[in-house]
Amino acid sequence: MRGKNLPNDLVFEEQIFAENMGKKIKFSRKFRKVTQSQLAKSMHITFQQFQKYEGGQNSISVFRLHQISSKLNIDISSFFLPLAAFINYVRYQNIDITSQEFHEQNE
């Protein structure tokens, strides 16, 4: 359960953080043209769990964020940038990965 034993303002901050992280995950996944199912399968988690990360319903662990960043070839530290800076970082980095390449790397 999120926010257990935390003051209300910290629960709110945690919720906002999870939602923003989810937006970054979703943007980077779509930018790389990878489906939720593909990424979830490569991480050995359910599609439903992945949806909860992207939707901000569940906070994501550093381990899971590391998996996502590695599989999408995005520096993990960039996920801690403000949303607009993150989007610019992903759009303008020189590394590109196609959905086909993602499949080949994660099978």
Side-chain angles (χ1 to χ4, degrees), residues 26-69:
K26 185 175 185 174
F27 175 82
S28 57
R29 176 186 59 76
K30 285 185 163 193
F31 187 81
R32 297 291 197 224
K33 296 180 175 82
V34 175
T35 68
Q36 287 179 327
S37 295
Q38 289 171 323
L39 198 48
K41 183 178 178 181
S42 75
M43 295 170 62
H44 304 287
I45 62 173
T46 65
F47 167 77
Q48 292 83 1
Q49 180 59 49
F50 191 83
Q51 277 185 314
K52 290 179 182 180
Y53 291 147
E54 276 196 359
Q57 290 94 4
N58 285 8
S59 293
I60 189 165
S61 70
V62 173
F63 174 71
R64 293 295 186 203
L65 189 59
H66 169 71
Q67 284 184 302
I68 291 168
S69 68

Side-chain angles (χ1 to χ4, degrees), residues 2-3 6-21 56 59:
R2 181 183 303 173
L6 292 175
N8 286 339
D9 58 336
L10 290 179
V11 171
F12 180 72
E13 282 185 47
E14 183 181 15
Q15 180 180 354
I16 295 300
F17 183 83
E19 289 171 1
N20 282 327
M21 191 61 69
S59 293

Side-chain angles (χ1 to χ4, degrees), residues 83-97:
L83 185 57
F86 174 80
I87 289 170
N88 285 332
Y89 170 80
V90 172
R91 281 185 178 155
Y92 298 112
Q93 67 177 332
N94 293 326
I95 302 167
D96 192 20
I97 185 171

Side-chain angles (χ1 to χ4, degrees), residues 61-80:
S61 70
V62 173
F63 174 71
R64 293 295 186 203
L65 189 59
H66 169 71
Q67 284 184 302
I68 291 168
S69 68
S70 294
K71 292 175 185 307
L72 296 179
N73 204 12
I74 296 173
D75 186 343
I76 192 171
S77 65
S78 68
F79 282 90
F80 296 96

